[in-house]
Amino acid sequence: MPLARSMSITSLSGMEEWDEEFDLEDAVLFEIAWEVANKVGGIYTVIQTKARLTVEEWGENYFLVGPYVESNVRTQVELIEPTNPALKRTIDKMNSSGCKVYFGRWLIEGSPYVVLIDVAFTAWSLDKWKTELWNNFSIGVPWFDREANDAVLFGFLTAWLLGEEPPHILAHFHEWLAGLGLALCRQRLLPVATIFTTHATLLGRYLCAGSVDFYNNLANFNVDKEAGDRQIYHRYCLERTAARCAHVFTTVSQITAVEAEHLLKRKPDIITPNGLNVKKFSAMHEFQNLHAQSKNRIQEFVRGHFYGHLDFNLDKCLFLFIAGRYEFSNKGADIFLEALARLNYLLRVNHSDVTVVAFFIMPARTNNFNVETLKGQAVRKQLWDTAHTVKERFGKKLYESLLIGQLPDVSKMLDKEDFTMMKRAIFATQRQCQPPICTHNMLEDSTDPILTCIRRIGLFNSSADRVKVIFHPEFLSSTSPLLPMDYEEFVRGCHLGVFPSYYEPWGYTPAECTVMGIPSISTNLSGFGCFMEEHIADPSAYGIYILDRRYRGVDESCNQLTSYLFQFCQQSRRARIIQRNRTERLSDLLDWRYLGRVRPLTLARRGNVHSSRKTSAQGFRYPRPASVPPSPALSRHSSPHHSEAEDEDDRYDEDEEAEKDRLNIRQPLALPTKKGPLPYPLPATAANGNGDRAIKSEKN
């Protein structure tokens, strides 16, 4: 039987050379991933944001291992001589044997050491290593799968690197592209404690993209057949082998743990949620100021995009967005568009003065910017220059009139030339077509999923529509001539992030919204949504809306999403400010300082290692907003019929709400337990170590 199928978790050795007990200060941590200094997907964000905290914990004993990509190295990595003598000997030996291995500092926060391996330079060994892979694991990799070939080269070179090092190595591998190195460490009996983290299973992503009822049929899939039908069987075997060979197997969320148990045939040992570096401002209102500044920049773009059709009030305009990998169904863009069509109907029949502009930030194949879109920004700039010129002339005449002690004759302040200039500018704003949906020229316009859906639901940015749609098929950049904003600036300027994903093992986009104080909508099929449901008694009170996509049909989920959007549109400006304050309070819950303590714990669990490092952070809690009832049960009336007086007592008072929100506690509270402080907070309704109810929320 292949090793991937027959081997149990403990059937291979590899820990014999570890002492019975030693101080973890002597251990060396290698973190191996294809996205080290190489941005491909979300794992890049995981490693980049975690680096500073890991460097603080491990110091000179922490090394990242990734592929050498020259274009990335030139801008992100400072190449230096290896600082660790043993590692220097290893790199020199590999280079003298026909490899190309580089050492340097990754120029990000924390400046971690990186070991970068040029897999293309060692392609001469591919056939030999494929043969060894088949002989030892019965996994065959086809010649035409370049990504899998890179994974084979990267895996063998990583195992070579770790095999030359002395004992007491902890190696943390991310995803299937790095997983072969882990399996080789176990097969070669190397003295390496291994951790494997899957951020999303390969087969799960493919199955969800095929419009199947994935989560309710997990136990029924014939995984070998499904992987073979999709021509990813060799990749699936690499991933499953790594999961089964690892001393410790982790994943990023509970829902992905269930998925991994059924598809990879091993239950994860520990859940390791993804975190972020959270920047706290000294003044609580500072993030609100950043929101206002970024919102103004988005408004300027909207003014240009909708020139000639700017018949809505920008002060009553809400900016919604969805962003991420272009997976139309998996990311929920399909039901978001359908919900926008229904929201447009509701706003029109209710004669709402609110206008919604929904941005779709998803990279697709394009050949350039749309001419009409660029023209809009040019017209906006021309109007601004005209207004500025007229203002200067008007101001000069006003100044001269005041100097001679006369009140100005307003009718004479603007001459014929000024009116001619302004009329010419007004004529330039006339357009015969509707404002464009897409900001770029799409290479596959007729078959693009988003554009096809927009044609079906009829959201064409007409004057009668209260919902406008802008599709930006490119990641945002501050150097763009169209929308010159970084992604972080753009998110801060929006009012609501909408991420109704069907398949989202974690979900960095709603997490990023949360740490920036922007409310978001996610689902109970995303790791982020499940995490928030577990740790917050009433997520919606904090601006975290959880859409039910597991136990409802598509139409029901779409109706629920429409309801959330319509309720959000009915909020006043002050209510939105209050909600952003609450959302920002949750940022500590996603800080790596509370979520990044798993490695010493896992090592101690599997390797019998004594650790003198601090392995857990103080637990913390967030009180519910002061004016929100403590639980849904207490918010209901005791009987179906109640008096009008009760309605008067329960009426929402915005002034009182704002004052209570201002006084609401911000400082985290420790949650003592019998086993010490928790690495992250318990759910709001959870019991503590003595069986008592959790600490009640307090007010200053």
Side-chain angles (χ1 to χ4, degrees), residues 190-417:
L190 300 181
V192 177
T194 57
I195 302 173
F196 181 68
T197 297
T198 180
H199 298 258
T201 68
L202 270 171
L203 186 56
R205 192 179 295 279
Y206 274 82
L207 287 170
C208 285
S211 301
V212 299
D213 188 4
F214 178 67
Y215 291 98
N216 294 321
N217 290 286
L218 272 173
N220 303 324
F221 289 116
N222 182 336
V223 292
D224 292 321
K225 180 181 183 301
E226 296 289 352
D229 290 345
R230 288 159 178 79
Q231 299 183 15
I232 59 165
Y233 184 70
H234 54 289
R235 298 186 180 195
Y236 167 73
C237 287
L238 291 173
E239 181 181 38
R240 182 166 164 179
T241 302
R244 292 177 62 83
C245 287
H247 291 105
V248 177
F249 176 41
T250 81
T251 189
V252 295
S253 64
Q254 184 58 47
I255 196 160
T256 312
V258 176
E259 173 189 344
E261 184 176 1
H262 286 91
L263 300 187
L264 300 181
K265 306 304 179 184
R266 178 176 176 183
K267 183 177 180 179
D269 300 294
I270 297 177
I271 306 299
T272 55
N274 289 332
L276 288 162
N277 281 334
V278 177
K279 179 182 178 182
K280 284 292 185 180
F281 298 103
S282 55
M284 289 177 57
H285 62 272
E286 184 62 27
F287 80 95
Q288 297 278 11
N289 294 340
L290 292 175
H291 165 74
Q293 294 168 13
S294 297
K295 183 182 70 173
N296 289 338
R297 296 179 64 182
I298 297 175
Q299 286 177 338
E300 284 300 299
F301 168 80
V302 170
R303 287 187 176 99
H305 192 82
F306 290 94
Y307 82 92
H309 294 270
L310 199 64
D311 52 359
F312 51 91
N313 187 353
L314 278 175
D315 288 333
K316 294 185 178 180
C317 185
L318 299 179
F319 300 134
L320 279 56
F321 81 99
I322 182 173
R325 187 185 289 111
Y326 195 175
E327 295 178 0
F328 184 65
S329 299
N330 281 359
K331 296 297 182 182
D334 51 352
I335 74 164
F336 184 29
L337 280 168
E338 186 64 41
L340 287 174
R342 300 181 187 187
L343 175 66
N344 185 50
Y345 172 79
L346 288 176
L347 293 176
R348 290 174 63 178
V349 299
N350 286 279
H351 305 290
S352 175
D353 59 355
V354 172
T355 300
V356 171
V357 177
F359 290 88
F360 287 74
I361 313 295
M362 291 180 160
R365 296 180 62 200
T366 67
N367 58 19
N368 214 329
F369 293 108
N370 186 303
V371 173
E372 187 64 25
T373 305
L374 288 173
K375 180 183 176 182
Q377 300 308 311
V379 169
R380 177 193 62 78
K381 188 177 185 304
Q382 180 186 359
L383 289 174
W384 173 259
D385 292 341
T386 300
H388 192 69
T389 301
V390 172
K391 182 185 71 172
E392 285 186 344
R393 292 183 179 182
F394 184 92
K396 185 177 180 181
K397 293 176 182 178
L398 176 62
Y399 173 64
E400 291 174 349
S401 177
L402 294 176
L403 278 176
I404 61 177
Q406 292 182 357
L407 289 175
D409 185 352
V410 179
S411 62
K412 297 180 180 179
M413 297 298 287
L414 297 176
D415 55 27
K416 187 176 181 180
E417 184 180 353

Side-chain angles (χ1 to χ4, degrees), residues 531-547:
F531 181 81
M532 286 302 187
E533 277 191 323
E534 181 184 357
H535 294 90
I536 305 173
D538 189 3
S540 61
Y542 284 93
I544 308 295
Y545 301 95
I546 311 296
L547 192 68

Side-chain angles (χ1 to χ4, degrees), residues 519-579:
S520 64
I521 298 175
S522 56
T523 73
N524 59 356
L525 293 181
S526 72
F528 173 84
C530 295
F531 181 81
M532 286 302 187
E533 277 191 323
E534 181 184 357
H535 294 90
I536 305 173
D538 189 3
S540 61
Y542 284 93
I544 308 295
Y545 301 95
I546 311 296
L547 192 68
D548 184 2
R549 293 207 63 184
R550 184 165 191 178
Y551 304 108
R552 300 190 185 197
V554 175
D555 190 62
E556 289 180 295
S557 298
C558 191
N559 284 334
Q560 186 185 16
L561 177 57
T562 306
S563 175
Y564 284 156
L565 296 177
F566 186 61
Q567 291 172 20
F568 189 83
C569 291
Q570 291 177 310
Q571 289 184 6
S572 67
R573 182 190 297 265
R574 192 174 189 185
R576 293 198 301 271
I577 292 173
I578 292 170
Q579 190 173 61

Side-chain angles (χ1 to χ4, degrees), residues 17-32:
E17 296 188 35
W18 289 68
D19 298 332
E20 287 298 321
E21 184 175 302
F22 74 96
D23 196 320
L24 197 56
E25 297 290 342
D26 297 329
V28 177
L29 170 62
F30 285 88
E31 193 155 4
I32 303 100

Side-chain angles (χ1 to χ4, degrees), residues 9-20:
I9 297 170
T10 57
S11 61
L12 287 182
S13 58
M15 301 292 291
E16 291 83 352
E17 296 188 35
W18 289 68
D19 298 332
E20 287 298 321

Side-chain angles (χ1 to χ4, degrees), residues 19-74:
D19 298 332
E20 287 298 321
E21 184 175 302
F22 74 96
D23 196 320
L24 197 56
E25 297 290 342
D26 297 329
V28 177
L29 170 62
F30 285 88
E31 193 155 4
I32 303 100
W34 189 257
E35 297 194 36
V36 171
N38 179 38
K39 187 172 184 179
V40 178
I43 302 173
Y44 178 90
T45 305
V46 174
I47 296 170
Q48 182 192 41
T49 56
K50 186 172 56 175
R52 177 170 60 87
L53 176 67
T54 312
V55 169
E56 290 176 4
E57 292 180 339
W58 290 81
E60 298 290 311
N61 293 339
Y62 175 54
F63 303 95
L64 287 160
V65 181
Y68 176 84
V69 181
E70 186 175 356
S71 59
N72 295 334
V73 170
R74 283 200 303 264

